[in-house]
Each structure stands twice: as C-alpha cells, then as structure tokens.
Amino acid sequence: MDNLGWVAIISILTAGMCMAVGSIGPAIGEARALVQALNSIAQQPDETGTITRTLFVGMAMVESTAIYCFVVAMILIFANPFWTYFISGIKG
Amino acid sequence: MDNLGWVAIISILTAGMCMAVGSIGPAIGEARALVQALNSIAQQPDETGTITRTLFVGMAMVESTAIYCFVVAMILIFANPFWTYFISGIKG
Amino acid sequence: MDNLGWVAIISILTAGMCMAVGSIGPAIGEARALVQALNSIAQQPDETGTITRTLFVGMAMVESTAIYCFVVAMILIFANPFWTYFISGIKG
Amino acid sequence: MDNLGWVAIISILTAGMCMAVGSIGPAIGEARALVQALNSIAQQPDETGTITRTLFVGMAMVESTAIYCFVVAMILIFANPFWTYFISGIKG
Amino acid sequence: MDNLGWVAIISILTAGMCMAVGSIGPAIGEARALVQALNSIAQQPDETGTITRTLFVGMAMVESTAIYCFVVAMILIFANPFWTYFISGIKG
Amino acid sequence: MDNLGWVAIISILTAGMCMAVGSIGPAIGEARALVQALNSIAQQPDETGTITRTLFVGMAMVESTAIYCFVVAMILIFANPFWTYFISGIKG
Amino acid sequence: MDNLGWVAIISILTAGMCMAVGSIGPAIGEARALVQALNSIAQQPDETGTITRTLFVGMAMVESTAIYCFVVAMILIFANPFWTYFISGIKG
Amino acid sequence: MDNLGWVAIISILTAGMCMAVGSIGPAIGEARALVQALNSIAQQPDETGTITRTLFVGMAMVESTAIYCFVVAMILIFANPFWTYFISGIKG
Amino acid sequence: MDNLGWVAIISILTAGMCMAVGSIGPAIGEARALVQALNSIAQQPDETGTITRTLFVGMAMVESTAIYCFVVAMILIFANPFWTYFISGIKG
Amino acid sequence: MDNLGWVAIISILTAGMCMAVGSIGPAIGEARALVQALNSIAQQPDETGTITRTLFVGMAMVESTAIYCFVVAMILIFANPFWTYFISGIKG
Amino acid sequence: MDNLGWVAIISILTAGMCMAVGSIGPAIGEARALVQALNSIAQQPDETGTITRTLFVGMAMVESTAIYCFVVAMILIFANPFWTYFISGIKG
Amino acid sequence: MDNLGWVAIISILTAGMCMAVGSIGPAIGEARALVQALNSIAQQPDETGTITRTLFVGMAMVESTAIYCFVVAMILIFANPFWTYFISGIKG
Amino acid sequence: MDNLGWVAIISILTAGMCMAVGSIGPAIGEARALVQALNSIAQQPDETGTITRTLFVGMAMVESTAIYCFVVAMILIFANPFWTYFISGIKG
Amino acid sequence: MDNLGWVAIISILTAGMCMAVGSIGPAIGEARALVQALNSIAQQPDETGTITRTLFVGMAMVESTAIYCFVVAMILIFANPFWTYFISGIKG
C-alpha cells in the first residue's frame, strides 16, 4: 500500500473516531443541564423563562465542542490538505 | 490486499464503530432527562405542559450529536470521496 | 486472503460489535426511565396516564439510537456497497 | 487458511461476543426496574396491578435490545450471506 | 494449522467467553432484585406473597438473557454449522 | 504445534477463564443478598423464617449462573467434542 | 517448543490466573456480609445467634464459587486429561 | 511508505484525536457549571444577573482548554513545520 | 529457549501474579470488616467480646481465599509437576 | 524511514497527546470550582466580590498546569532541540 | 538470549510487580481502618484502649497479605529454585 | 535508526507524557481545594484571611508535584545526559 | 542485545514501575487518614494528643508498604543478584 | 541498537513515567487533606494553629512518597549503575 492509500484510510478512521469520541462529552453534559432545568422548572415555575433562556445559551456553548469535532471530521474527509498534496503530484 | 480493499474495510469498520460509540452518550443522556421529567411531572402535575415541551426540545438537541455520528457513518458508506477516487482510476 | 474475504469478515465483525455496543446505552437508559416511572406511579397514582404516556414516547426516542445501530448492522450484512462492488467485478 | 475458514471463525466469534456483550445492559437494566417495582409494591400495595403491568411492558421494551443482538447472532450463524456466497462458489 | 483446527479453537474460546461474560449481568441483576425483595418483605410482611411472586417472574425474565448466552454456547459446541461443513468435506 | 495441541491449550485456557470470570458476578451478588438478609433479620427478627427461605431460594437461582459456567468448563475439559474428533482420527 | 511444553505452560498460567481472579469476588463479597453481620450484632445483640448462623451458612455458599475455581486449578495441575494424553503417547 | 507519508498520517491522526479527547473535559465541565447556574437561579432569582455573568466568564475560561486543543489541531493540519520542511526539500 | 525454560519462566510469572492479584480482594475486604468492627465497638462497647470474636472468625474465612492463592503460588514454585516431569527426562 | 522522519512524527504525536491529556484535568477542575462559586454566590450574595476574586486567582493557578502542557507542546513543535540537531547535520 | 537470561529477567519483573500490585490493597485497606479508628476515638474517647488494640491486631492481619507478597518477591530474587537449577548445570 | 535517533524520540515522548500525566493529579487536586475554600468563605466570611492564606500555601505544596514533572520534562529535553553522551562521541 | 543488557533494562524498568505503582496506595491512604484526623481534631479538640499519636503510628504502618516497594527497587538497582552473576562471569 | 542505547532509552522512559505516575497519588491525597483543613478551620477557627500544624506535618509525610519517586527518577538519570558499567567498558 502506498502513501495515497494510507492517507485515505487514516483520514477515514480519524474522522469517524473523532466524531464518535467527541460526541460523548457534549451528549452527557447537555443532558445533565437539561435534567437540572426540568428540575428547576418544577421547583420554580415562575422562572421558566429565565431558566430556559440560560439553558439554551449554555447548551449552545457546550454543543460548540461537538461542533469543533464535526468540523475537524469534515475537514479530514472533504478538505484534507495532505490528500490534496498527494493526488496533485500522483507521486506517493 | 490493495488500496481499494483497505479503504473498503476501514470505511466499514469506522462507520460501525462511529455509530456504536456515538450512540452511548445520547442514549444515556436522553434517558436521564426523561427520568427527571417523569419525576418533575409527579411532583408538579400542573406544569406537565411546560416540562414535556422543554424535554422534547432538549432531547432533540442531545439527539443531534447522535445524528452527527449517523451522518458521518452514512457518508463513509455511501458518499466516501476516497473510495470514489480509487474506483474512478482503478489504480490502487 | 483477498479483498473479498477481508470485506466479508470485517463486515461481519463490525455488524456484530455495532449491535452489541450500541445496545448497552439504550438498554440501561430505558431501564432507568422505567425505574423512575414505577417510582412516580407509586407516588402519584393519579398521574399514571400522563406518566406512562411520557414514558413510552421518551423510550421510543431513546430506542431510536439502538435502531440506528441495528440499521447500520443490517446495511453492512445485506446491503453493503463495498461487497457489491467487489463481487460484481470478481476482481479482488 | 483461506477465505472460507476466516469467514467461519469470525462469524463464530462475533456471534458469541455480540450475544455476551449485548446481554449485559438488558440484564442489569431489567433487574433495576424489577428492584424498583418490588419497592413500589411494598410502598403502595394498592397499585400492584398498575405497577406490574407497566413493569412487564417496559421490560419487554428493554428486552428488545437483547433480542436484536440474539437476532444478529442467529443470522451470523445460520443465515450468513457471506458464508453462503463463498460455499456456493467453492472459490475462496 | 488448517481451517478445521481454527474453527475448533475459536468455537471453544467463544463458547466459554460468551458464557462467562454473559453470566455477569444476570447474576448481579438477579441479586439486586433479591436484595430489594428481602428488604420489602422486612418492611411489608403482609405483602410477602405478592412480592415473591413478582420477584420470581421478574428473575425468570432476567435469567432469560443468561439462557440466550447458554444456548449460543451450546450451539457453538454441539451444533456448529461451520464445523459440520468442514468435517463433512474433510477439505479444510 | 499441530491442531491437537492448539485444541488442548485453548480448552485449558477457556475452561479456567470461564470459571474465573463467571464466579465474580455470583459471588458478589450472593454476598449482597446475604448482606440484606442479615440487615432484614436485625430489623424484623419475627420474619426470620420467611427471609431465610426467600434468601436461599434466591441464592440458588443466582448460583445457577455460576453453575452454567462450571458446566461449560467441565464439558471443555472432560467431554470436548472437538478434542474427541481430533484424537479419534489422529489426523491433526 | 512442542505440544507438551505448550500444554504445560498454559496449564500453569491458567491455574494461577483462575485462582487469582476467582478469589476477588468471594473475598470482597464475604467481607461485605461480615461487615453487615457486625453491624447487625451491634444493633440487635439479642439476635446474635440467628445472625451468625445465617452469616456462616451464607458465607459457605459464597465460598463455594472460590472452591469451584480452586477445584478447576487443581484439576489443571494434577489431573489434566490433555497432559495425560500427551505424555502417554510421548508424541507431541 | 516514506517520511512524507508518515508525517501526513500521523498529523491527521493526532489532530483528530487531540480534538476528540480534548473536548471531553470542557464539555462535561461546562455542563456541570451550567447545571449549578440553573440551580442557583431557581434558588435565588434575584441574583440572576450576577450568576449568569460569572457563569459566562467562567465558561469562557474552561472553554480555553478546548481552544488550545483546537489550535494545536489546526497547526498540525495547516501549519505543520515538519510537513513544510519535508515538502520543501522533496527529500524524504 | 526450550520447554524447560518456558516452564520455569511461566511458573515464576504466574506465582507472582497469582499472589499479587489474589491479595487485593482479601486485603480490602478484611479492612472493611475491621472498619465496621471499630465502628460497632464505638457504638456498643458492651458487645466488644461478641464483635471481636465474630470479626476474627470471619476474617479467617476471608483470609482463606488469600491462602488458596498462596498455596497455588507455592505449588508452582516448589512442587510443580510439569517442571518435575521435564527435569526428570532432561528431554525438553 | 530515517531519524529525521521518526523525530518529526513522534514530536507531532507527543505534542497533540500532551495537549489533549493535559487539558482534561484543568477543564474538569476549573469547572468544579466554578460550580462551587455559583453555589456560594447564591448562598451569600454579599460576598460576591471576595468569592469571584478568590475564584479567578485560583483558576489561574489551576490553569497553570494546562499552560505547562501547552508550553511543552509548542516547544516540541517549534523549538525542538532534537529536530534542530538532525536538520543541521543533515545526517540522520 | 538463553534460558538463564530469561529466568533472570522474568524473576526481576515478577518480584517488582508482585510487590507493587500487592501493596495497593493493604495500604488502602489499613488506611481505611485507621480512618475509622480516628473517628471512633473522637466519638468515644473512653474506648481508646479497646479501639487501638483491635486496630493494631486487625492491621497486622491485613498487613499479612502484603507480607505474603514480600515473601514471594524475596523468594524469587534470593531463593529461586529455577535459577538455582539452571546455574548449577550451566546448561541453558 | 541508530542510538541517537532512539534516544531523541524516547526523550520527546517521555517528556510530553510525563508532563501530561503529571498535570492531571495537581489540576484536579488544586481545584478541589479551591472548591472547599470558596465554600468555607461563604460559610465563614470572617475567616477569609486565614482561609485564603492556608489555601495558597497548600496549593503551592500540591503544585510542587506538577513542578517535579515539569523539571523532569525540561531535563529530558534540554539537559539529557544520555543525549549529551551520544552526540559527543558521534558514535551511535 | 545480550543477557547483560536485558537484565539491566528490565531491572531499571521494574525498579521505576515498582516505586511508582507502589506509592499510589500509601499516598492516598495516608491522606485519607490525615483528612479524618483533621476532622476529628475539629470535633474533639481535647483529644488532639491521642488522635495525633494514633495517626502517626498508623501512618507509619501504612508507609511500611511503600517502604517495601522502595526496598525492592533499591535491591534491584544496587544489589541485584542476577546482575552480579552475569557481570562476574562476563559470560552473557 | 546496542546495549548502551537500550539502557539509555529505558532509563529515560522509566524516569519520566515513574515521576508522572508517582505524582498522581500524592497530589490528590494532599489536596484532600487541604480540603478538610479548610473545612475544619471554617468550623473551628479557634483550632487553626493545631490544624495547620497537623496538616503540614501530615502533608510532608504524604509528600515523602512523591519524593521517593523523584529520587528513583534522579538516580536513573544521573547515577545509573547499569549505564556506568556499560560506558566504562565501552563494550556493549
């Protein structure tokens, strides 16, 4: 197997694992925040507006780390500079 | 085994593992939120509407990380640019 | 062993592991929700209807991640594009 | 060892591991639900009917993930399309 | 070592590991249910009948996942279709 | 090393590991049930009879998973069909 | 290294590991039961007789899983049928 | 495979893993802070301003470690001095 | 390296590891029992006699699993039947 | 692959992993401190000034360990003495 | 490397690891007992004599498992029968 | 690859890992102390001076272990005696 | 690499790892005892003398396991009988 | 690579890992003690003197295990008897 092949398979592998590992933290974290929000609403129905607003702004911030991972995965699959280099020269 | 074969098996492996690993976090996270929602409803039956609405919006947000993984898996199986490159040239 | 063989064994392995790993999260998560529902019913027998309805809708949502895994496993066994490519050409 | 042999051993290995790993989650999950049900019955003997009904419907839903794994294991042992392909051609 | 030997050792290994891993979940799960049942009996001696009945029906359901594993192990040792195929042809 | 040797060492290894791994769950599980029984007796000395009866029936059920493992280990050492096959033909 | 050597070293390794791993569960489990018994005696000195009797019967049952492992280890060292077979034929 | 290829694949692999591993801590950490903020708002609605201000300043500080990882990943993909060295000399 | 050497090094390795792993469970278990005994004495100074008696009988029982491991380690070092066999024949 | 290549890839790998692993502790640690600060502000709004001052000084101290890791990563990428040595001599 | 060398290095490795692993359990266990003793003394200063006496007898018993490991390590370094055998014959 | 290269890459790898692993403990530990300090200040605003003084002296002591690791990493990169030896002799 | 080299590197590796692993248990254990002592002093300032005396005697006992490890590490570095044997004969 | 090189790289690796692993326990342990001290000061401001004295004596004792590790690391880097032996003979 030549350079071209190795770059391809490592890009595939890394993109998939990066997305998979990177989604564990945000998924569990956002869920915990959601749990607390539901709890707070039950305790303080009058503050529902403030709570849900803070919740969604905060979740967007947590979501950002998942999006970093998604961005890296997409770069590796569709805009990989190493792959571009190798297929331009066809010298592997 | 040539490049074509390696790209194929790594794509299969990565797609499956990405989906599997990526479903652990959301499944556990959504379930926790559901647990809390059931608890809150039992405590505050009057807020059932607000609670379930917040629950389903939040779960959709958590679900999004599982969907990112599903998207990556589908791309790797059905729209893999590396595989397309190799089978177009038939040069591996 | 040629490409055909490798694609076959990796597909088998990935399908099985994807299903196995992907069933851990939903199984534990749904069970937790069920635990809470039973608890809430015992505390608020009057809300049994609301609780079980929310429970089953939520469990269906959690179940969805297990179903994603099942779908990926079935695709890998019965509708694998890489396998189709290799057996069509009989060139491995 | 040829393709035929590899497909055979990987199918055996995957079927067994898929079943084994896939039974951990449901077993623990169902047991937790059972624990809570026993607890709720002790607290609210009058709701025994509702509780056991919800319990068994919920356990069936949790059991479904174990059954997905069992199905995949059986497919791999008795209806494996890759094995069928290889023994039909006797070309491995 | 030929195909016959590999199929034999993998079947042995898988059967043993499947049984071993698959017995952890049910053993711990059933024990937890038993713990709760003993606790509930001590709290509500009058409900002993209902509790033990629910306990044994539930444990049977949990036990089912261990039995799936036992079934798979027995199939792999005594009714293994791959082994049957190879010793019928004596071509390995 | 020939088939005969491999089957022998894998059988030894699997039997030992199956027994070892399979004894962890039941040992811890039975002990937990015993803990609770001692606790319940201290709380409700009048229910000692009911509690110990439920305890020993339940422990026997938990013990069953350890016995499945012991059975598999004994089959692999003393009634292994693969070993029987190989030493009957003395062709390995 | 021939078959004889492999069978010897695997038997040694398996016997030791089986004993080691198999002693973790019972040791921790019995200790927990002992902890609870000491606690119960301190709470209900009048029930000391009943408690210690249940304790020692229960510990013997938990100990049984360690004894299964010890039996397997001893069989592998002193009554190993595979070893007997190989040294009888001196053909390895 | 030559130096050029190795540098390429290790850069890809490291960038992806660095991003994935580095997002776990911040995601879980920020979510915990968000959980507490929602809780505090429910307890002290009058301090909402102070709490959210402290929350977002603190989250930005926690986010900084994820950004360090993102920076390292981007450097490895787009401004890698080792890769620059090797492709300038075309001597690998 | 011949059979003699392999048997020697595996015996050394197994004896050490068996002792090391096998001492973790009893050490932690006995310590927990001791913790509870100290606690119970502080609560019920009048029952010191009963408590310490039960403690030491119970600890001896827990200690037995460590002693099984020690016995296996000593057998492997000083009374190893496989080693005896090989050095008697000096045929390795 | 020569010395130059190995030094390059190990530097890349180590820099990335060092940053990734080193960001887990500070991220989680700072988040916990932030959680407590939010909690304390809700309990003692009058001490907000003291609390936030202590919080940010303390977080800077915790952040220092992440910065040590970032420094090491930057040294390995941009000021690596081993790399400098090898490319100066062009003798690898 | 000949038998003599292998026996030497495995003995060194096993002795060190056996001591290291075997000291974790007793160290943590004894410390827990010490924690409880300090707690009990603070609660019942009048029972200091009884408590410290039970503490040191119990710690000696827990320490015994560390001493078994130390004994095994010393036997492997200074009284290793396998090493003695090999250097007596100088046939390796 | 010669000695020079191996010493270089192992030094790089060890320095990075030593720093990364060594920063986990202090980061989490210091954060916990900070958490408690914030809590204590909220409970006892009058003791703020004593608490922060003890906090920073204690954190410096905990920080010392991170600094040991940083020192070792710097020695390995910039004052490595093994590297000095090899490049002085240019004999590898 | 000859025997002499292997013995040297394994001794170095084992000594370091033995010390490192062996210091985890005592460090955490002693710290827990210290935590409790500080707590007890705060609750019972009058018993400070008794508490600190018991603390330091107990810590010395826990420290003993770390010292066993340090002794083994020093023996392996400075009084290693295997190393002595090999360098005396200069036959490796 | 000759003996000299192997001894060098293993010494580097062991020194770094020994320091890194050995700093986890003390860092976390000392931090816990510090946490408790801050807590005790807040509860008993009058005992600040006694508490901080006991704290720093105890932390020094815990720190000792980190110092053992640092000593071993320094011996391996700067006073390694195996390295001294090999470079004195220049026979590797």
Side-chain angles (χ1 to χ4, degrees):
Chain A
M1 206 162 66
D2 57 8
N3 280 343
L4 208 55
W6 271 103
V7 167
I9 66 171
I10 293 291
S11 299
I12 294 168
L13 191 65
T14 306
M17 285 302 107
C18 175
M19 192 66 246
V21 172
S23 74
I24 294 173
I28 290 177
E30 290 177 26
R32 280 187 194 162
L34 182 56
V35 165
Q36 183 60 47
L38 293 169
N39 192 14
S40 297
I41 290 171
Q43 287 174 351
Q44 290 273 354
D46 298 342
E47 295 296 320
T48 301
T50 313
I51 288 166
T52 53
R53 210 170 334 113
T54 309
L55 174 69
F56 290 117
V57 174
M59 279 175 96
M61 205 149 171
V62 176
E63 186 84 9
S64 71
T65 64
I67 289 171
Y68 290 168
C69 290
F70 191 64
V71 164
V72 169
M74 287 299 108
I75 286 172
L76 291 180
I77 295 179
F78 293 113
N80 193 324
F82 303 106
W83 172 257
T84 309
Y85 175 82
F86 283 118
I87 63 173
S88 70
I90 305 293
K91 57 174 294 296
Chain B
M1 206 163 65
D2 56 8
N3 281 342
L4 207 55
W6 271 103
V7 167
I9 66 172
I10 293 291
S11 299
I12 295 168
L13 191 65
T14 306
M17 286 302 107
C18 176
M19 192 66 246
V21 172
S23 74
I24 294 174
I28 291 177
E30 290 177 25
R32 281 188 194 161
L34 182 55
V35 165
Q36 183 59 46
L38 293 169
N39 192 13
S40 297
I41 290 171
Q43 286 174 351
Q44 290 273 355
D46 298 342
E47 295 295 322
T48 301
T50 312
I51 288 167
T52 53
R53 209 170 334 112
T54 309
L55 174 69
F56 290 118
V57 174
M59 279 176 96
M61 205 148 171
V62 175
E63 186 85 8
S64 71
T65 64
I67 289 171
Y68 290 167
C69 290
F70 191 63
V71 164
V72 169
M74 287 299 108
I75 286 172
L76 291 181
I77 295 179
F78 294 113
N80 193 324
F82 303 105
W83 172 257
T84 308
Y85 175 82
F86 283 118
I87 63 173
S88 69
I90 304 292
K91 57 173 294 297
Chain C
M1 206 161 66
D2 56 8
N3 280 342
L4 208 55
W6 271 104
V7 167
I9 67 171
I10 293 292
S11 299
I12 294 168
L13 191 65
T14 306
M17 286 302 107
C18 175
M19 192 66 246
V21 172
S23 75
I24 293 174
I28 291 178
E30 290 177 25
R32 280 188 194 162
L34 182 56
V35 164
Q36 183 59 46
L38 293 169
N39 193 13
S40 297
I41 290 171
Q43 287 174 352
Q44 290 273 355
D46 298 342
E47 295 296 321
T48 301
T50 313
I51 288 166
T52 53
R53 208 168 336 112
T54 309
L55 174 69
F56 290 118
V57 173
M59 280 175 96
M61 205 148 171
V62 175
E63 187 84 8
S64 71
T65 64
I67 289 171
Y68 289 167
C69 290
F70 190 63
V71 164
V72 169
M74 287 299 107
I75 287 172
L76 291 180
I77 296 179
F78 293 113
N80 193 324
F82 303 105
W83 172 257
T84 308
Y85 175 82
F86 283 118
I87 62 173
S88 69
I90 305 293
K91 58 173 293 297
Chain D
M1 207 162 66
D2 56 8
N3 280 342
L4 208 55
W6 271 103
V7 166
I9 66 171
I10 293 292
S11 299
I12 294 168
L13 191 65
T14 306
M17 286 302 107
C18 175
M19 192 66 246
V21 172
S23 74
I24 294 174
I28 291 178
E30 291 178 23
R32 280 188 194 161
L34 182 56
V35 165
Q36 183 59 46
L38 293 168
N39 193 12
S40 296
I41 291 171
Q43 286 174 352
Q44 290 272 356
D46 298 342
E47 295 296 319
T48 301
T50 312
I51 289 166
T52 53
R53 207 169 336 113
T54 309
L55 174 69
F56 290 118
V57 173
M59 280 176 95
M61 205 148 172
V62 176
E63 187 84 8
S64 71
T65 64
I67 289 171
Y68 290 166
C69 290
F70 191 63
V71 164
V72 169
M74 287 299 108
I75 286 172
L76 291 181
I77 296 179
F78 294 113
N80 193 324
F82 303 105
W83 172 256
T84 308
Y85 175 82
F86 283 117
I87 63 172
S88 69
I90 305 293
K91 58 173 294 297
Chain E
M1 206 162 66
D2 55 8
N3 280 343
L4 208 55
W6 271 103
V7 167
I9 67 171
I10 292 293
S11 298
I12 294 168
L13 191 65
T14 306
M17 286 302 107
C18 175
M19 192 66 246
V21 172
S23 74
I24 294 173
I28 291 177
E30 291 178 23
R32 280 189 194 160
L34 182 56
V35 165
Q36 183 59 46
L38 293 168
N39 193 13
S40 297
I41 290 171
Q43 286 174 351
Q44 290 272 356
D46 299 342
E47 295 296 320
T48 302
T50 312
I51 289 166
T52 53
R53 206 168 337 112
T54 309
L55 174 69
F56 290 119
V57 173
M59 281 176 94
M61 205 147 171
V62 176
E63 187 85 9
S64 71
T65 64
I67 289 172
Y68 290 166
C69 290
F70 191 63
V71 164
V72 169
M74 287 300 108
I75 287 172
L76 291 181
I77 296 179
F78 293 114
N80 192 323
F82 303 105
W83 172 257
T84 308
Y85 175 83
F86 283 119
I87 62 173
S88 70
I90 304 293
K91 58 173 293 296
Chain F
M1 205 161 68
D2 55 7
N3 280 342
L4 208 55
W6 271 103
V7 167
I9 67 171
I10 292 293
S11 299
I12 294 169
L13 191 65
T14 305
M17 285 303 107
C18 175
M19 191 67 246
V21 172
S23 75
I24 294 173
I28 290 177
E30 291 177 24
R32 280 189 194 161
L34 182 55
V35 165
Q36 183 59 47
L38 293 167
N39 193 14
S40 297
I41 290 171
Q43 286 174 350
Q44 290 272 356
D46 299 342
E47 295 296 320
T48 302
T50 312
I51 288 166
T52 54
R53 206 167 338 112
T54 309
L55 174 69
F56 290 119
V57 173
M59 280 176 95
M61 205 147 172
V62 176
E63 186 85 8
S64 70
T65 64
I67 289 172
Y68 289 167
C69 290
F70 191 63
V71 164
V72 169
M74 287 299 108
I75 286 172
L76 291 181
I77 296 179
F78 293 114
N80 193 324
F82 303 105
W83 172 257
T84 308
Y85 175 81
F86 282 118
I87 62 173
S88 69
I90 305 293
K91 58 173 293 296
Chain G
M1 205 161 67
D2 55 7
N3 280 342
L4 208 54
W6 272 102
V7 167
I9 67 171
I10 292 292
S11 300
I12 294 169
L13 191 66
T14 305
M17 285 303 107
C18 175
M19 192 66 247
V21 173
S23 75
I24 293 173
I28 290 177
E30 291 178 23
R32 279 188 194 162
L34 182 56
V35 165
Q36 183 60 46
L38 293 168
N39 193 13
S40 298
I41 290 171
Q43 286 174 350
Q44 291 271 356
D46 299 342
E47 295 296 320
T48 302
T50 312
I51 289 166
T52 53
R53 207 169 336 113
T54 308
L55 174 69
F56 290 118
V57 173
M59 281 176 94
M61 206 147 171
V62 176
E63 186 86 8
S64 70
T65 64
I67 290 172
Y68 290 167
C69 290
F70 191 63
V71 164
V72 169
M74 287 299 108
I75 286 172
L76 291 180
I77 296 179
F78 294 114
N80 192 325
F82 303 105
W83 172 257
T84 309
Y85 175 82
F86 283 117
I87 63 173
S88 69
I90 305 293
K91 58 173 292 297
Chain H
M1 206 163 66
D2 56 8
N3 280 343
L4 208 55
W6 271 103
V7 167
I9 66 171
I10 293 291
S11 299
I12 294 168
L13 191 66
T14 306
M17 286 301 107
C18 175
M19 192 65 246
V21 173
S23 75
I24 294 173
I28 290 177
E30 291 177 25
R32 281 187 193 162
L34 182 56
V35 165
Q36 182 60 45
L38 293 169
N39 192 14
S40 298
I41 290 171
Q43 287 174 350
Q44 290 273 353
D46 298 343
E47 295 296 321
T48 301
T50 313
I51 287 166
T52 54
R53 209 172 332 114
T54 309
L55 174 69
F56 290 118
V57 173
M59 279 176 97
M61 206 150 171
V62 176
E63 186 84 8
S64 70
T65 63
I67 289 172
Y68 290 168
C69 290
F70 191 63
V71 165
V72 169
M74 287 299 108
I75 286 173
L76 291 180
I77 295 178
F78 294 113
N80 193 325
F82 303 105
W83 171 257
T84 309
Y85 175 81
F86 283 118
I87 64 172
S88 70
I90 304 293
K91 56 174 294 297
Chain I
M1 205 162 68
D2 55 8
N3 280 342
L4 208 54
W6 271 102
V7 168
I9 67 172
I10 293 292
S11 299
I12 294 168
L13 190 66
T14 306
M17 284 304 107
C18 175
M19 192 66 247
V21 172
S23 75
I24 294 173
I28 290 177
E30 291 178 23
R32 280 188 194 162
L34 182 55
V35 164
Q36 183 60 46
L38 293 168
N39 192 14
S40 298
I41 290 172
Q43 286 174 350
Q44 291 272 355
D46 299 342
E47 294 296 320
T48 302
T50 312
I51 289 166
T52 54
R53 208 169 336 113
T54 308
L55 175 69
F56 291 118
V57 173
M59 281 176 93
M61 206 147 170
V62 176
E63 186 85 8
S64 70
T65 65
I67 290 172
Y68 290 167
C69 290
F70 191 63
V71 164
V72 169
M74 286 300 108
I75 286 172
L76 291 181
I77 297 178
F78 294 113
N80 191 325
F82 303 105
W83 172 257
T84 309
Y85 175 82
F86 282 117
I87 63 173
S88 68
I90 305 293
K91 57 174 292 297
Chain J
M1 206 163 65
D2 56 8
N3 280 342
L4 208 55
W6 271 103
V7 167
I9 66 171
I10 293 292
S11 299
I12 294 168
L13 191 66
T14 306
M17 286 301 108
C18 176
M19 192 65 246
V21 173
S23 75
I24 294 173
I28 290 177
E30 291 177 25
R32 281 188 194 162
L34 182 56
V35 165
Q36 182 60 46
L38 293 169
N39 192 15
S40 297
I41 290 171
Q43 287 174 350
Q44 290 272 354
D46 298 341
E47 295 296 320
T48 301
T50 313
I51 288 167
T52 53
R53 210 172 332 114
T54 308
L55 175 69
F56 290 118
V57 174
M59 279 176 96
M61 206 149 172
V62 175
E63 186 85 8
S64 71
T65 64
I67 289 172
Y68 290 167
C69 290
F70 191 63
V71 165
V72 169
M74 287 299 109
I75 287 172
L76 291 180
I77 296 178
F78 293 113
N80 192 325
F82 303 106
W83 171 258
T84 308
Y85 175 82
F86 283 117
I87 63 172
S88 69
I90 305 293
K91 56 174 293 298
Chain K
M1 205 162 67
D2 55 8
N3 280 342
L4 208 54
W6 271 103
V7 167
I9 67 171
I10 293 292
S11 299
I12 294 168
L13 190 66
T14 306
M17 285 303 107
C18 175
M19 191 66 246
V21 173
S23 75
I24 293 173
I28 290 177
E30 291 178 24
R32 281 189 194 161
L34 182 56
V35 165
Q36 182 60 46
L38 293 168
N39 192 13
S40 298
I41 290 172
Q43 286 174 350
Q44 291 272 355
D46 299 342
E47 295 296 320
T48 302
T50 312
I51 288 166
T52 53
R53 209 171 332 115
T54 308
L55 175 69
F56 291 118
V57 173
M59 280 176 94
M61 206 148 170
V62 175
E63 186 85 8
S64 70
T65 65
I67 290 172
Y68 290 167
C69 290
F70 191 63
V71 165
V72 169
M74 286 300 107
I75 286 173
L76 291 181
I77 296 178
F78 293 113
N80 191 325
F82 303 105
W83 172 258
T84 309
Y85 175 82
F86 283 117
I87 63 173
S88 70
I90 305 293
K91 56 174 293 298
Chain L
M1 206 163 66
D2 57 7
N3 280 342
L4 208 54
W6 271 104
V7 167
I9 66 171
I10 293 292
S11 299
I12 294 168
L13 191 65
T14 306
M17 286 302 107
C18 175
M19 192 66 246
V21 173
S23 75
I24 293 172
I28 290 177
E30 291 177 24
R32 281 187 194 163
L34 182 55
V35 165
Q36 182 60 47
L38 293 168
N39 192 14
S40 297
I41 290 171
Q43 287 173 350
Q44 290 272 355
D46 298 342
E47 295 296 320
T48 301
T50 313
I51 288 167
T52 53
R53 211 173 330 116
T54 309
L55 174 69
F56 290 118
V57 174
M59 279 176 95
M61 206 149 171
V62 175
E63 186 84 8
S64 71
T65 64
I67 290 172
Y68 290 167
C69 290
F70 191 63
V71 165
V72 169
M74 287 299 109
I75 286 173
L76 290 180
I77 295 178
F78 293 113
N80 192 325
F82 303 106
W83 171 258
T84 309
Y85 175 82
F86 283 117
I87 63 173
S88 70
I90 305 292
K91 57 173 293 297
Chain M
M1 205 162 67
D2 56 7
N3 280 342
L4 208 54
W6 271 103
V7 167
I9 67 172
I10 293 291
S11 299
I12 294 168
L13 190 67
T14 306
M17 285 302 107
C18 175
M19 191 66 247
V21 173
S23 75
I24 293 173
I28 290 177
E30 290 178 24
R32 280 188 194 161
L34 182 55
V35 164
Q36 183 60 46
L38 293 168
N39 192 14
S40 298
I41 290 172
Q43 287 173 350
Q44 290 272 355
D46 299 342
E47 295 296 320
T48 302
T50 312
I51 288 167
T52 53
R53 210 172 332 115
T54 308
L55 175 69
F56 290 117
V57 173
M59 279 176 95
M61 206 147 170
V62 175
E63 185 85 8
S64 71
T65 64
I67 290 172
Y68 290 167
C69 290
F70 190 63
V71 164
V72 168
M74 286 300 107
I75 287 173
L76 291 181
I77 296 178
F78 293 113
N80 192 325
F82 303 105
W83 172 258
T84 309
Y85 175 82
F86 282 118
I87 63 173
S88 70
I90 306 292
K91 55 174 293 298
Chain N
M1 206 162 67
D2 57 6
N3 280 342
L4 208 54
W6 271 103
V7 167
I9 66 171
I10 293 292
S11 299
I12 294 168
L13 191 66
T14 306
M17 285 302 108
C18 174
M19 191 66 247
V21 173
S23 75
I24 293 173
I28 290 177
E30 290 177 25
R32 281 188 194 161
L34 182 56
V35 165
Q36 183 60 46
L38 293 168
N39 192 14
S40 298
I41 290 171
Q43 287 173 350
Q44 290 272 354
D46 299 342
E47 295 296 320
T48 301
T50 313
I51 288 166
T52 53
R53 211 173 330 116
T54 308
L55 174 69
F56 290 118
V57 173
M59 279 176 95
M61 205 148 171
V62 175
E63 186 85 7
S64 71
T65 64
I67 290 172
Y68 290 166
C69 290
F70 190 63
V71 165
V72 169
M74 287 299 108
I75 287 173
L76 290 181
I77 295 178
F78 293 114
N80 192 325
F82 303 105
W83 172 258
T84 309
Y85 176 82
F86 283 117
I87 64 173
S88 70
I90 305 292
K91 56 174 293 297

